[in-house]
Amino acid sequence: MSSSLMLSSSSLDLDRILPLVRKPGQYVGGELHAVDSGFDAGNLNFCLIFPDLYEIGMSHQGLQILYHLLNGRAQTTAHRAYVPDIDMERELRAQGLPLFSLEAKAPLAAYDVLGITLPYELCYTNLLTVLNLAGLPFWAADRNQGHPLVLGGGSCAFNPEPVADFFDAIVLGDGEEIILEIADLLALAKKEGWPRPAVLERLARMPGIYVPSLFKPKYAQNKLVAVEPLLAEVPSVRRRVLPRLHAPSVLYHPLVPVVKPVHDRLGVEIARGCTRGCRFCQAGITYRPVRERTLEEIMELANQGIAHSGFEELALLSLSTGDFSCLGELMGALMDRFADDFVSVSMPSMRVGTLTPEIMNQIKRVRKTGFTIAPEAGTDRLRQVINKGITEEDLLTTCRDAFALGWKLIKLYFMVGLPTETEADVEGIVQLAKKARAQVGQGKGRPVQVNLGVATFVPKPHTPFQWEAQIGLEQSRANINRLKQMLPRQGYKLKWHDPEQSFLEGVFSRGDRRLASLIEAAWNMGARLDSWSEHFDLARWRRAAVECGLVLEDYLQARPVADALSWDHLHCGVERSFLEAERDKALAQEYTPDCRAHGCQGCGLCDFKTVRPVVHERPTAVRPVPSTPSVREEPGPPPKAHAYRVHYTRLGDSRFYGHLELLQLIFRTLQRAGLPLLFSSGFNPSPRVSFSQALPVGVESLAESFDMDLSRPLASLEETASRLNSRLPATIRVQAVEPAPRTVVRTSITSYTLSAAAYPEQMHRNLSEFLGRESFVIDRFRKNRHKELDLRPLVARLEFDQGRILLDLIGHQGQPGTNPREIMEKVLGFSEREALLARILKTGVKEMASSS
């Protein structure tokens, strides 16, 4: 492990990079409830890394759980890092700067442990981006005592072989308990100065830890025949299973992002594990057994999480949320608690047959959040093969209920290429979609939409289908094209996952260690962010495969059951004999019932002492569900609005927040402060808050404001300002709160101070010439149109004084205006890069207003 250095947040000069990149706010940290920026060399210091962009990684709850657990211990610190976007990687390399943690802005190489999540196969080249920008060798065998320990975990840990040689150790299973055991061991190792091999051997003896260097793949005639242990005491590795979910208090103070992530909401895990037994589903095997939270725990998580975050949506997380034993009671309790606060509840993973009218009525009390169901296959026959356990009539009943309750959009997800699939099964997808849309009934007068999402089936390790073939690219494209041809244009929309990305996912899903060289070769050829279609290039991977002497299609072939698999030494807890029996039952179209309701099915995981299903009984006295209409539909006159104006400053790193990001931050701050906000009406209620003119990203300000409408007057303006400041980032400070003026601003003069590291040689001449002209017309090209704009009447002052540019700009309501960077580039002769790197401060606004 490395000897950590004490590094301050100023150790890396990011001011010369962040103004130049897309969404710079994703690199500055400062999220609500993030830990302090510093760390002590005497502590055990982790950096937890999600190998994708911030907007994906900030939605990952597993990383957040580990973050809070580690930071809850004395002498242990955990910070975070995410993969930089292409432009940020380019700037880091150009400036010779390493990848850094968000909290400390410290180089990753300064940490003792880099904990990297393995969430999906197409992030594998991102691992190399992280390691390379950290200054570390790719291959674990090339690292020495001075390097951080590289630790992995997550969904792909159940066949990590394609990337195993990049990791020192990998965790199998639930991380909550084992991460603390690892921390104890590594803290002792650091204190006593253990050599790296001794650390790895001690880790290997810990249940649930896989040390790849202590296992060696064996090949014969270019075929894997075994993965042999080098340590006799550790012949294999078995997954760690958490008997009960972690205490709710771990997530009382969730991280609240500033830059909007993909899933911008409070996630509340109500259960882990699923026992439905879908034969294609790896998570249904590797997260067994089902472990539910109690109603009390869930309400505690929801109350604390919303109060401390300000999120306006709460998502109930589980592999099959609809199977939660007390879902009706839970939904009623959640909506009774949060409907008046306009906090909606969504269930991202619902199952046909579990979405009852009772539950739908509860969901729509605030806003109709996403309604998505996954039939997976287009015919009852194929659904029997995959053990989906639902019929066409079940699906149509769910759609009929949803349309009757006011939903106008239903999303259906399917797979093509499932084992035993026929043309009739593919065509059945379109037929089922048509029948679903027809459930709206005749004469309703409401157009409805059915959206279809389609992906290519990828056989996953540790599933009954792990031996099956994956269809090739041509067949995948043909199936999707068939759906395009058959699906009517009116009332339907088809989206599909790129078959080329599914092809590569299939290669890695069941791959072996030979693929590590392929990943390195593709990365060297420029492979980055492969899960993003705009960056993915299968041709590049094919060139890398030729260079490595590999045939990618070989990894998609069917596997004989007797053959060795690259993950045979990694046990998920479910017996191989059970998977083989399930495969046979799939071909015979036999159903395996859910063990939560029909008794143990003999998968081999539970010992019924420590590991067993945790399922709660539904209360015998079922709570009546009120037929409460949506809050926005309640009759009565609107409440009187009490309008206030909040004046605030934005300095330092907050200049990198985009306007929409700032709006969201303010909305959530107001919610956390408990102010009695009024909300708009309509399908998506939002706080009645209006902001001053948007600042360009990178501009600081001493003179920002927003107006808010409240349902009752404030008792103390000073106390309100103090309350807001206690909930805002330190870089945003409320200066005053006052009653909002009843005026309409027609014209304003905004003052700026501009400073740069260097000024263009011709700047003074350009400035003088501009001031001497009556007109200065520029050509703008926006929205594919050229427009002329005269800048001269918009500039009230432009002068250079004591090394700074002083600028006053005139703005007229409803008319085109300009901004400081445009003046710098068009008038003063700055290049675009020089203008972006300049420091711009908005110092004041003078408004010429008329009475409303």
Side-chain angles (χ1 to χ4, degrees):
M1 295 183 293
S2 68
S3 55
S4 299
L5 306 175
M6 189 64 182
L7 294 166
S8 69
S9 60
S10 61
S11 58
L12 297 178
D13 182 9
L14 300 179
D15 284 348
R16 53 195 169 112
I17 288 182
L18 294 183
L20 305 173
V21 302
R22 186 183 76 93
K23 294 186 179 179
Q26 65 187 311
Y27 305 111
V28 301
E31 298 89 351
L32 184 70
H33 303 141
V35 297
D36 293 339
S37 61
F39 65 91
D40 192 317
N43 287 352
L44 181 68
N45 296 298
F46 284 76
C47 189
L48 302 178
I49 301 166
F50 191 90
D52 209 326
L53 301 183
Y54 177 99
E55 57 200 270
I56 303 295
M58 269 301 290
S59 302
H60 191 262
Q61 192 169 54
L63 185 145
Q64 189 166 162
I65 291 170
L66 300 183
Y67 180 85
H68 288 297
L69 282 171
L70 289 169
N71 284 313
R73 292 166 52 94
Q75 283 78 53
T76 303
T77 302
H79 294 160
R80 294 164 297 128
Y82 303 89
V83 173
D85 209 338
I86 300 296
D87 57 350
M88 183 64 169
E89 180 186 350
R90 182 176 59 247
E91 292 297 334
L92 286 171
R93 295 190 188 285
Q95 300 288 345
L97 294 178
L99 186 59
F100 52 88
S101 62
L102 290 190
E103 285 80 358
K105 307 300 184 295
L108 299 192
Y111 288 83
D112 298 304
V113 186
L114 303 184
I116 306 179
T117 302
L118 293 171
Y120 33 79
E121 292 84 354
L122 293 187
C123 72
Y124 285 168
T125 52
N126 299 344
L127 302 176
L128 302 193
T129 301
V130 168
L131 294 173
N132 182 261
L133 288 174
L136 304 183
F138 290 155
W139 300 77
D142 295 333
R143 297 186 204 121
N144 58 38
Q145 191 75 11
H147 291 127
L149 196 75
V150 180
L151 183 68
S155 299
C156 290
F158 290 97
N159 179 30
E161 292 305 283
V163 293
D165 284 326
F166 304 143
F167 285 90
D168 294 296
I170 297 171
V171 174
L172 266 66
D174 298 318
E176 286 95 327
E177 281 188 333
I178 197 168
I179 193 66
L180 301 182
E181 295 175 19
I182 291 171
D184 287 339
L185 178 68
L186 296 183
L188 181 62
K190 180 175 181 177
K191 180 180 178 180
E192 297 183 355
W194 297 358
R196 198 178 190 91
V199 173
L200 295 179
E201 186 171 328
R202 288 287 297 270
L203 283 172
R205 297 174 190 276
M206 186 180 293
I209 300 288
Y210 172 42
V211 177
S213 61
L214 297 179
F215 290 81
K216 184 178 181 180
K218 183 179 179 181
Y219 296 90
Q221 298 178 335
N222 205 33
K223 179 181 178 181
L224 180 74
V225 295
V227 180
E228 298 178 336
L230 302 181
L231 197 65
E233 303 95 303
V234 187
S236 62
V237 182
R238 188 177 181 89
R239 166 191 163 218
R240 285 288 288 266
V241 180
L242 190 68
R244 288 183 175 271
L245 296 186
H246 59 83
S249 57
V250 172
L251 289 178
Y252 278 179
H253 296 84
L255 293 173
V256 182
V258 177
V259 175
K260 187 178 179 69
V262 171
H263 299 300
D264 193 17
R265 62 199 182 193
L266 175 70
V268 175
E269 186 181 25
I270 65 171
R272 189 175 301 177
C274 175
T275 49
R276 285 286 186 172
C278 297
R279 293 172 178 134
F280 59 85
C281 182
Q282 185 187 54
I285 296 292
T286 59
Y287 283 101
R288 291 186 177 202
V290 64
R291 288 147 291 170
E292 293 186 346
R293 288 196 181 279
T294 65
L295 285 174
E296 292 74 20
E297 286 178 327
I298 297 168
M299 290 303 298
E300 195 178 346
L301 273 168
N303 278 315
Q304 295 287 344
I306 292 295
H308 293 120
S309 69
F311 283 115
E312 55 285 323
E313 182 180 343
L314 186 157
L316 302 180
L317 304 181
S318 170
L319 289 175
S320 184
T321 302
D323 286 326
F324 181 70
S325 302
C326 311
L327 187 60
E329 291 70 34
L330 173 62
M331 285 299 300
L334 286 171
M335 296 312 301
D336 287 349
R337 166 63 185 84
F338 293 111
D340 288 345
D341 295 330
F342 295 92
V343 175
S344 60
V345 179
S346 66
M347 292 175 285
S349 52
M350 289 302 292
R351 178 183 173 86
V352 171
T354 61
L355 265 172
T356 63
E358 168 192 40
I359 293 170
M360 293 181 194
N361 257 319
Q362 292 295 336
I363 293 173
K364 72 173 191 173
R365 284 171 64 182
V366 172
R367 56 177 73 87
K368 294 187 182 76
T369 52
F371 191 97
T372 303
I373 47 182
E376 312 291 358
T379 62
D380 280 343
R381 184 203 70 81
L382 192 51
R383 284 190 290 275
Q384 289 172 340
V385 170
I386 66 177
N387 207 52
K388 190 65 182 175
I390 61 169
T391 65
E392 180 176 289
E393 186 51 40
D394 295 330
L395 173 74
L396 298 182
T397 298
T398 299
C399 294
R400 190 160 51 247
D401 290 340
F403 289 140
L405 289 168
W407 266 270
K408 295 184 179 181
L409 170 66
I410 288 181
K411 299 177 184 177
L412 305 176
Y413 279 103
F414 297 91
M415 285 185 284
V416 294
L418 286 162
T420 79
E421 180 185 75
T422 65
E423 285 188 17
D425 295 313
V426 177
E427 293 173 358
I429 292 173
V430 173
Q431 300 304 322
L432 187 58
K434 290 179 178 178
K435 292 177 183 177
R437 188 168 183 266
Q439 300 310 304
V440 72
Q442 301 299 318
K444 296 292 184 181
R446 294 199 318 269
V448 296
Q449 178 87 11
V450 174
N451 288 355
L452 282 71
V454 179
T456 302
F457 163 69
V458 175
K460 295 290 185 177
H462 305 285
T463 69
F465 290 159
Q466 66 183 353
W467 297 280
E468 301 301 316
Q470 180 174 333
I471 61 173
L473 267 177
E474 292 307 314
Q475 185 60 53
S476 181
R477 292 183 185 124
N479 287 349
I480 291 171
N481 287 334
R482 180 72 177 132
L483 295 175
K484 290 183 195 176
Q485 294 166 1
M486 292 185 63
L487 196 67
R489 293 181 181 274
Q490 188 78 23
Y492 302 88
K493 187 174 183 180
L494 176 67
K495 291 185 177 181
W496 59 93
H497 187 67
D498 182 0
E500 294 191 339
Q501 289 177 300
S502 296
F503 174 89
L504 190 63
E505 179 186 344
V507 170
F508 288 133
S509 175
R510 297 184 296 171
D512 54 39
R513 291 202 195 178
R514 291 173 294 182
L515 294 178
S517 295
L518 172 72
I519 295 167
E520 183 179 24
W523 186 88
N524 284 328
M525 292 178 181
R528 302 288 192 278
L529 299 173
D530 288 295
S531 62
W532 297 78
S533 57
E534 62 265 37
H535 298 301
F536 181 76
D537 181 4
L538 184 59
R540 180 190 289 127
W541 284 94
R542 290 197 181 281
R543 293 194 301 273
V546 170
E547 183 179 293
C548 296
L550 296 171
V551 179
L552 299 183
E553 282 77 6
D554 289 350
Y555 288 94
L556 271 56
Q557 304 305 311
R559 316 284 176 92
V561 173
D563 277 12
L565 300 171
S566 60
W567 54 91
D568 278 342
H569 58 302
L570 305 175
H571 294 298
C572 67
V574 173
E575 296 297 334
R576 183 186 177 111
S577 59
F578 176 80
L579 300 179
E580 291 180 15
E582 281 297 295
R583 180 175 180 265
D584 293 339
K585 291 171 74 173
L587 299 178
Q589 297 177 38
E590 292 182 22
Y591 178 61
T592 299
D594 186 341
C595 69
R596 79 163 68 210
H598 300 280
C600 178
Q601 300 298 311
C603 76
L605 175 71
C606 296
D607 60 12
F608 297 99
K609 297 175 182 177
T610 302
V611 178
R612 60 183 181 275
V614 179
V615 179
H616 301 293
E617 292 288 335
R618 187 173 187 182
T620 52
V622 178
R623 176 188 178 281
V625 178
S627 56
T628 307
S630 168
V631 174
R632 62 177 176 273
E633 297 170 354
E634 290 181 358
K640 179 184 177 182
H642 300 269
Y644 292 89
R645 177 162 294 177
V646 178
H647 298 274
Y648 65 99
T649 61
R650 282 182 63 182
L651 301 172
D653 283 347
S654 67
R655 73 188 189 277
F656 295 122
Y657 302 157
H659 183 61
L660 294 179
E661 294 159 3
L662 178 81
L663 266 59
Q664 188 75 280
L665 186 154
I666 295 295
F667 289 163
R668 289 174 177 168
T669 298
L670 297 176
Q671 293 277 40
R672 293 194 302 272
L675 298 184
L677 291 168
L678 290 177
F679 282 74
S680 64
S681 58
F683 286 104
N684 289 293
S686 59
R688 282 165 49 177
V689 181
S690 58
F691 289 78
S692 54
Q693 185 177 5
L695 275 181
V697 174
V699 175
E700 297 174 280
S701 178
L702 298 173
E704 295 301 288
S705 68
F706 63 83
D707 292 351
M708 57 184 181
D709 285 348
L710 306 181
S711 62
R712 59 178 183 270
L714 294 172
S716 168
L717 301 181
E718 293 77 11
E719 190 274 334
T720 300
S722 177
R723 198 185 333 166
L724 291 174
N725 278 331
S726 69
R727 291 161 175 84
L728 281 165
T731 52
I732 299 177
R733 296 289 86 187
V734 171
Q735 302 300 306
V737 180
E738 63 180 8
R742 295 180 174 274
T743 56
V744 176
V745 176
R746 305 297 182 188
T747 301
S748 62
I749 298 178
T750 306
S751 300
Y752 299 91
T753 299
L754 291 61
S755 57
Y759 295 93
E761 195 173 304
Q762 72 278 21
M763 185 189 74
H764 293 286
R765 184 178 69 251
N766 292 347
L767 189 155
S768 297
E769 289 180 0
F770 176 80
L771 295 177
R773 296 174 62 168
E774 293 185 1
S775 177
F776 191 95
V777 178
I778 64 169
D779 179 67
R780 277 181 174 173
F781 185 70
R782 293 181 179 175
K783 298 181 180 179
N784 297 320
R785 294 179 62 186
H786 286 276
K787 283 190 174 182
E788 290 187 342
L789 177 68
D790 189 355
L791 295 181
R792 186 62 190 90
L794 302 178
V795 178
R797 178 172 69 152
L798 178 59
E799 60 184 75
F800 188 79
D801 180 54
Q802 297 182 354
R804 302 175 304 165
I805 299 168
L806 304 179
L807 173 67
D808 288 355
L809 296 179
I810 301 173
H812 303 285
Q813 186 185 39
Q815 297 181 24
T818 186
N819 62 71
R821 289 202 185 104
E822 188 169 56
I823 298 298
M824 295 177 78
E825 292 180 42
K826 301 294 186 181
V827 175
L828 300 179
F830 284 78
S831 68
E832 180 184 8
R833 185 182 183 91
E834 289 169 339
L836 286 169
L837 289 173
R839 207 66 182 256
I840 302 173
L841 175 66
K842 178 179 171 182
T843 56
V845 180
K846 182 179 180 182
E847 296 178 343
M848 277 71 78
S850 60
S851 300
S852 60

